[in-house]
Amino acid sequence: MKKLYTPGRIGDLEIKNRMVMAPMVDGFGTEGAPTERSLEYFRVRAAGGIGLIVVGNVHVDPEHRHLKPEFHLYDDSFTEKLRPLAQVIHSQGAKVFVQLIHQGRYARSSEYEGGAEAVAPSAVFTGMTRETPRALTEEEICRLEDYFAQAAKRAMEAGFDGVELCANSGYLFGQFLSPLTNKREDQYGGTLKNRAAFLTETICRVKEATDGSFPVTVRMGGNDFVAGSNTNEEACRIAGLLEEAGADAISVTGGWHESRVPQVTMDLPHGVFSYLGRNIRQSVDIPVMMGNRMDIFAAEELIERGDVDFAVFGRPMLADPQFPQKAAQGRYEEIRPCIGCNQGCLDHSMSGREIACLGNAECGRESELADERGLLPTEVREKTPRKLLVIGAGAAGMEFARVAALRGHTVTVWEKENTYGGQLRLASAPPARQDFKRLSDYLYKACVRAGVTFCFDRQASSGELTRQLEEKEADRLILATGAYPVSPAIPAERGMNMVQAWDVLSGQARTGKEIVVVGGGAVGIETAILLGEEGTLTAEELRFLMLYGAEEPDTLRELLNKGSKRVTVVEMQDKAGKDIGKTTRWIMLDRLKKLGIKVLTGSVVTEIKADGVIIQKDGENIKLSADTVVMAAGSRSDNHLLEQLKEKEGQVFVIGDARAPKKVMDAIRSAYDLGISIG
Ligand code: SF4
């Protein structure tokens, strides 16, 4: 058996395997306590085989009472309120810690009851909130240590197995640790030891307040990835101080929220920050956990090599709460992958919304969907199974087929192309977007396992579909025919090579050297990046040139960013990429910049010439020379079949983009919901 699936220890606590669910904000709580929805969300995750769950963002400070729907332990009344959470997780055989947090300068005063001022080691402005916090007094620091200790004691009394102190991502403990945000001249500032004093003293206070064997772990960055802050060298020294103070384990993650190194998007190779965990593991004797864009394969290797002791999974637990069990049984293909899109999780939580998952329509809806026996709809068989014919094997078509087949219907999918995936295939074409293909592969294999029949190269006509219904070969038709790209009505001269972005993404269109992309939404930007990256160094080339010192680092960086095409994006709106989630948008815009791709916003293409494009910007006409124009001007529902099948109302259903072009998450959600309700 692989080591990941064998028991591990934190202090005296035995954990049944080395898989840990990371603390995450879900937004399901109310007034600082879990709801039925929270309990069911965690119950399902504990039942999936994870060894330890760390319940995220539990607030400790009664002077800074968070208004968000997160959990609190700042007074005794919360001990009983949080007890059911520990119980429900224990009932499924997992252990549970709470992560105690103080956000310091990362909190807006408007997020606190009464608008209390944000506090920090020093009054250093942050762009995250656009506020300057107030510096804490020594007396307040001491009081905060006590708040943490009292909260840990309440966690112990409520039945939790341990606590994790949040010193990662730039929250209050991290702000003390960093010379960037800690400008103090007292015993809590200056040397690394002094900067760590708030944290090490808190560990001691927690130990004193609890029974001594109650585990206290610390989550910290292995490198802050912020210029002037702690690097992996200081991180090792900090970890040593934490061990000395009595920490029972260190949980390592990447850098701060303010870092310009992406931390959580699809751009990160799986397990890329694992070296940070290994680095710290070599400096301490206590167990080390490692997370950050960790998939099961990266985790297995990491633990097998002995680089760290536990692997931490956040978003994979949203995408598929059963993945620990499936992985332990070698059923890797059955794991619904987390693709790092952040569309339902981080983008939601950062805008104060409840979390969801692009690929998992059940995430966060467990209590709403489960029946009185606690079974989810995909675990229940229909009393009257039907013959269902699905047109289209994109995300919506496959998700519907998967769910309907699991419920016992006989499902056939017709797809006009010779393969599955639809727009997921296009979405996976740009650099660092390949995980969309993993989702597409998962859906296809899940359908096949559930007994769905696929017919590729099968064009559907209204006549044939009518016959299918009339001759009872199908009881219901589900149109998941997607969308098609639109071309804006722009006067165009002959001679210009005009192509659709979708054809560029699918590799079917030829492009020249000087390209104008019309439309700066997600598709336009992704296509521009794909084109802009043509001719840049590949990962293998970079490795070779670096290993042998063939070029200076600056030259290599230039070669990574210098492609062979000149690309310009023209966007009508005042900003490009408005339809991209907050956590991903800045990275894509940054990539455009690094690739030297110009983005002209507030600009309208008024004419296409044989050798360029005329745009209107700020009342002026400007000519951009080009040999290729790529249209990325949106899409329209492909629902021609619906119009032709009007008289079959009640037997015909439309899902996904065929209903209205939206995000993949919407397509999957609508497909799931129809799959569980169709009868
Ligand atoms: Fe992963 Fe995307 Fe789901 Fe978030 S929304 S858990 S990133 S697949």
Side-chain angles (χ1 to χ4, degrees), residues 9-11 247-251 281 284-289 309-310:
R9 291 190 89 78
I10 294 176
D248 293 288
I250 309 280
S251 180
R281 185 70 192 82
V284 294
D285 290 323
I286 50 178
V288 170
M289 319 182 202
D309 307 279
F310 291 86

Side-chain angles (χ1 to χ4, degrees), residues 330-536:
R331 293 154 51 207
Y332 299 107
E333 283 196 345
E334 293 179 38
I335 298 172
R336 185 188 292 108
C338 162
I339 62 171
C341 64
N342 295 339
Q343 283 183 23
C345 50
L346 282 165
D347 286 338
H348 275 205
S349 67
M350 289 191 85
S351 55
R353 296 164 67 193
E354 295 158 349
I355 58 163
C357 173
L358 172 141
N360 179 8
E362 290 169 352
C363 177
R365 301 166 74 201
E366 294 83 0
S367 59
E368 167 205 330
L369 292 169
D371 67 10
E372 59 291 342
R373 296 161 295 173
L375 295 174
L376 286 167
T378 44
E379 296 165 325
V380 178
R381 306 282 285 185
E382 277 287 343
K383 287 195 183 85
T384 322
R386 305 272 186 192
K387 284 183 280 181
L388 308 176
L389 177 56
V390 183
I391 311 302
M398 290 198 287
E399 173 67 355
F400 172 84
R402 179 188 79 84
V403 173
L406 286 174
R407 288 179 63 81
H409 297 294
T410 302
V411 188
T412 305
V413 179
W414 290 2
E415 166 56 53
K416 65 179 189 307
E417 309 272 339
N418 62 2
T419 188
Y420 56 86
Q423 284 189 60
L424 287 178
R425 261 198 346 271
L426 303 183
S428 69
R433 289 287 170 275
Q434 60 283 352
D435 272 14
F436 276 111
K437 167 118 183 23
R438 287 177 84 182
L439 178 61
S440 177
D441 291 345
Y442 159 79
L443 284 171
Y444 176 69
K445 287 172 187 166
C447 283
V448 171
R449 273 195 310 278
V452 175
T453 305
F454 281 86
C455 303
F456 293 110
D457 291 318
R458 183 82 189 247
Q459 193 82 40
S461 69
S462 56
E464 171 65 1
L465 295 179
T466 305
R467 192 189 66 74
Q468 288 273 334
L469 288 175
E470 286 174 353
E471 294 181 10
K472 301 261 179 261
E473 284 179 33
D475 301 317
R476 304 279 182 265
L477 289 180
I478 295 83
L479 304 181
T481 39
Y484 57 88
V486 292
S487 292
I490 303 170
E493 281 182 8
R494 289 163 76 94
M496 172 59 76
N497 176 32
M498 286 172 57
V499 297
Q500 280 292 346
W502 288 20
D503 293 330
V504 175
L505 293 171
S506 66
Q508 288 167 355
R510 185 187 52 81
T511 54
K513 292 250 177 225
E514 214 168 8
I515 300 161
V516 171
V517 177
V518 181
V523 173
I525 289 178
E526 284 170 355
T527 309
I529 292 175
L530 177 74
L531 292 166
E533 291 235 358
E534 267 189 40
T536 57

Side-chain angles (χ1 to χ4, degrees), residues 64 88 91 153 245 302 310 323-324 392 431 510 539 588 600 623 637:
H64 290 90
V88 82
S91 73
K153 184 166 176 260
L302 190 67
F310 291 86
F323 93 82
R510 185 187 52 81
M588 297 187 79
L600 304 173
K623 183 170 179 188
S637 295

Side-chain angles (χ1 to χ4, degrees), residues 241-252:
L241 292 170
L242 303 182
E243 181 178 28
E244 238 176 77
D248 293 288
I250 309 280
S251 180
V252 183

